[in-house]
Amino acid sequence: MSLKSTTRTDVNTVELVFEVGAEAFENAVEQAYQRVKKNISLPGFRKGKVSRKMAEAQMGEGVFYEEALNALINEELTPELMNADFILVDRPQIEVEKVDKAEGVVFKALCITKPEIEIADYKGIKASKTVRTVTDEDVEAQVTMIRQRNARLVSVDDRAAQLGDEVNIDFEGFFGDEAFEGGKGDSFPLRLGSGQFIPGFEEQIVGKSIGDEFDVNVTFPENYQMEEYAGKEAVFKCKLNGITVEELPEADDEFIQDSTEFETLDAFKADARERLETAAKREAESAFDNAIMEALIAKVDAPIPNCMFEQRIDALVANFEGMLKQQGMSLDLYLQYTGMDINDFRDANRDRAESEVKLRLALEKIADLEKIEISEEELKSSVEELAAANGLTVEQVMRRLPMEDYIMDMRVTKAIELVKENAVAEEAAAE
């Protein structure tokens, strides 16, 4: 097989034309016959005993051509494409342009290639690093959280219901004089102000006392999940059975000793402040890193084949589906719950996929520009860690991993560190 011509038909598209001579094609046809002859049967001949000449005479001269052409594509053309001086990013479209016993075969391969991008000014990227200031109110919120975790509900019978109370109600909903399905509840616990019920419902319970029977008038939202109820006016006939309030324990040293590993309230507050400040720094660092990567993505403006985005979406969908399976749910069931179909779900992941593809291309280019390499010692150490983490031997990992891709991943990681190390943080304190 020989390369006849190379033509760049578009920015990331190359058309290659290959020729296979008559002799090579004849050999491929003969081999095809030898592979399938055991299955050939003709009247008057035992199965597997039909000569090639007889088979071609009875079934047509080209009876073995398809088998021969597929063999040439798989055994000769595909390796030629893999060894070309460009990187394929999608399966090539292969056409047979000519088949002639006397002249051979001509193949045309349309190849989508990895884009060549330019990336500049990747050192010295400026981004804000805003560290949120931890206030006394933040610390007190941590104390309140512990108190709420240990709160108890206390019945109240000497006042009317207020926002924040938990009430126990009976209710039944009506459209006009007709009760509707799903609109009834007995001894239902409801925290007023939680937004659990239709807008306007909870507020109309405020001011009512235990034993009161009353109507609550509401209108279902236009975007209500049950379309037959959307936008309709309804009346709920209600009875208030009980009122309870959340009683928080006193925040003192004794409470802290009973509820935490600390001896005093001050010690708990000091630890809470330290944890909040550490988290604030970590959040700021993460936001800073994200801003750097976003700036890097914005520097990529070269045309990128759409198939690369689709492939990344495929991977994101597969990863999400795997996560759902671990939780005992299928992707189909998830889509039913969310009211989406698979195309909606893919579209929801499109922006992320495009950003990730651009970022990867930028980092691979930086790795090339900076001549980032992975030493044998680094590779060995990384593979050993991976093997230990997964309970495998190094040899098993080496057999299973596409090492060229794995090494590129390591180069990309180094490129990320290089960009971050050279970025400029514009420090600021957030209120």
Side-chain angles (χ1 to χ4, degrees):
M1 182 174 289
S2 60
L3 179 61
K4 181 180 178 182
S5 66
T6 301
T7 307
R8 184 164 290 279
T9 58
D10 204 345
V11 180
N12 298 305
T13 308
V14 176
E15 182 183 277
L16 304 178
V17 177
F18 293 89
E19 288 184 331
V20 176
E23 183 178 349
F25 180 51
E26 165 58 26
N27 290 337
V29 174
E30 175 61 24
Q31 291 172 16
Y33 162 71
Q34 294 296 333
R35 285 193 295 273
V36 302
K37 70 176 184 179
K38 63 180 179 296
N39 299 318
I40 301 173
S41 62
L42 289 175
F45 294 88
R46 283 188 299 157
K47 190 174 183 179
K49 297 300 182 180
V50 179
S51 69
R52 175 184 164 187
K53 184 176 181 180
M54 181 60 69
E56 290 175 338
Q58 292 292 319
M59 294 184 283
E61 183 180 71
V63 63
F64 304 117
Y65 283 7
E66 183 177 355
E67 176 79 16
L69 292 171
N70 286 335
L72 287 170
I73 290 171
N74 293 329
E75 297 170 11
E76 297 193 36
L77 180 55
T78 299
E80 288 280 350
L81 295 175
M82 293 298 104
N83 294 325
D85 59 356
F86 51 74
I87 299 175
L88 288 167
V89 295
D90 200 7
R91 184 186 297 275
Q93 299 176 21
I94 299 172
E95 296 180 14
V96 181
E97 284 210 316
K98 176 183 177 183
V99 181
D100 188 282
K101 185 176 182 179
E103 298 183 13
V105 183
V106 177
F107 291 105
K108 181 172 74 174
L110 194 65
C111 304
I112 307 299
T113 63
K114 181 179 177 180
E116 281 292 333
I117 69 166
E118 298 296 329
I119 191 79
D121 303 324
Y122 53 85
K123 291 182 179 178
I125 293 176
K126 294 182 179 179
S128 174
K129 184 183 284 188
T130 305
V131 181
R132 183 176 61 82
T133 302
V134 175
T135 65
D136 291 343
E137 289 76 12
D138 295 329
V139 175
E140 289 300 329
Q142 296 293 303
V143 176
T144 300
M145 192 183 303
I146 294 293
R147 294 174 68 199
Q148 289 174 334
R149 201 176 297 160
N150 292 273
R152 64 191 184 99
L153 292 176
V154 178
S155 296
V156 174
D157 56 13
D158 58 351
R159 63 167 176 80
Q162 301 174 359
L163 284 176
D165 291 347
E166 183 165 304
V167 296
N168 182 289
I169 59 171
D170 299 335
F171 62 87
E172 186 171 15
F174 294 82
F175 291 136
D177 295 329
E178 185 177 346
F180 56 83
E181 185 179 355
K184 185 175 182 179
D186 293 322
S187 300
F188 190 91
L190 173 65
R191 185 174 295 278
L192 299 183
S194 64
Q196 184 178 352
F197 273 30
I198 301 166
F201 186 103
E202 296 168 25
E203 290 79 1
Q204 294 180 55
I205 300 177
V206 172
K208 301 296 189 294
S209 299
I210 295 173
D212 285 354
E213 297 184 15
F214 51 93
D215 290 348
V216 170
N217 298 283
V218 295
T219 301
F220 281 88
E222 293 292 341
N223 61 346
Y224 195 67
Q225 62 266 29
M226 297 178 69
E227 294 182 2
E228 62 270 29
Y229 294 177
K232 296 182 70 171
E233 294 182 355
V235 176
F236 285 85
K237 296 189 177 300
C238 303
K239 180 181 179 181
L240 181 57
N241 300 318
I243 303 171
T244 55
V245 296
E246 192 175 65
E247 186 177 85
L248 302 182
E250 190 69 29
D252 53 23
D253 291 349
E254 183 179 355
F255 166 69
I256 289 298
Q257 290 169 12
D258 290 341
S259 306
T260 72
E261 71 273 23
F262 297 94
E263 291 298 319
T264 66
L265 179 60
D266 287 342
F268 174 81
K269 287 183 177 181
D271 180 76
R273 183 178 294 276
E274 184 178 343
R275 285 187 287 106
L276 289 171
E277 289 175 345
T278 299
K281 290 176 183 177
R282 188 163 53 243
E283 290 167 7
E285 192 67 36
S286 177
F288 176 64
D289 291 348
N290 289 338
I292 296 169
M293 296 301 110
E294 289 293 334
L296 202 57
I297 291 168
K299 294 179 181 295
V300 179
D301 61 359
I304 298 172
N306 188 62
C307 64
M308 297 185 72
F309 299 140
E310 294 297 329
Q311 289 163 7
R312 187 58 196 154
I313 293 173
D314 290 343
L316 293 174
V317 171
N319 290 342
F320 188 75
E321 187 171 15
M323 182 188 72
L324 288 176
K325 285 182 178 178
Q326 291 179 351
Q327 299 172 2
M329 181 182 289
S330 69
L331 180 59
D332 286 342
L333 187 58
Y334 172 84
L335 294 175
Q336 290 178 32
Y337 284 156
T338 57
M340 291 192 291
D341 61 24
I342 188 61
N343 292 325
D344 296 329
F345 186 69
R346 290 180 67 85
D347 286 342
N349 281 279
R350 192 167 300 279
D351 287 345
R352 175 184 172 185
E354 292 184 3
S355 293
E356 290 183 359
V357 169
K358 290 179 180 180
L359 180 60
R360 177 73 180 204
L361 289 171
L363 292 168
E364 288 181 0
K365 184 67 174 181
I366 291 170
D368 290 339
L369 292 172
E370 294 291 332
K371 297 180 172 56
I372 294 174
E373 299 297 340
I374 304 300
S375 68
E376 290 185 9
E377 292 76 13
E378 289 173 314
L379 179 59
K380 179 182 177 184
S381 175
S382 179
V383 171
E384 286 175 347
E385 289 180 12
L386 186 62
N390 291 277
L392 301 171
T393 66
V394 170
E395 292 72 20
Q396 288 173 321
V397 172
M398 294 288 285
R399 284 197 303 270
R400 298 181 186 186
L401 275 181
M403 292 310 300
E404 188 174 340
D405 292 341
Y406 187 72
I407 291 170
M408 178 56 80
D409 289 343
M410 294 180 68
R411 295 179 67 212
V412 162
T413 299
K414 282 191 173 184
I416 292 173
E417 294 304 318
L418 182 145
V419 173
K420 287 165 59 175
E421 287 169 3
N422 287 276
V424 178
E426 297 176 331
E427 299 284 349
E431 294 183 0

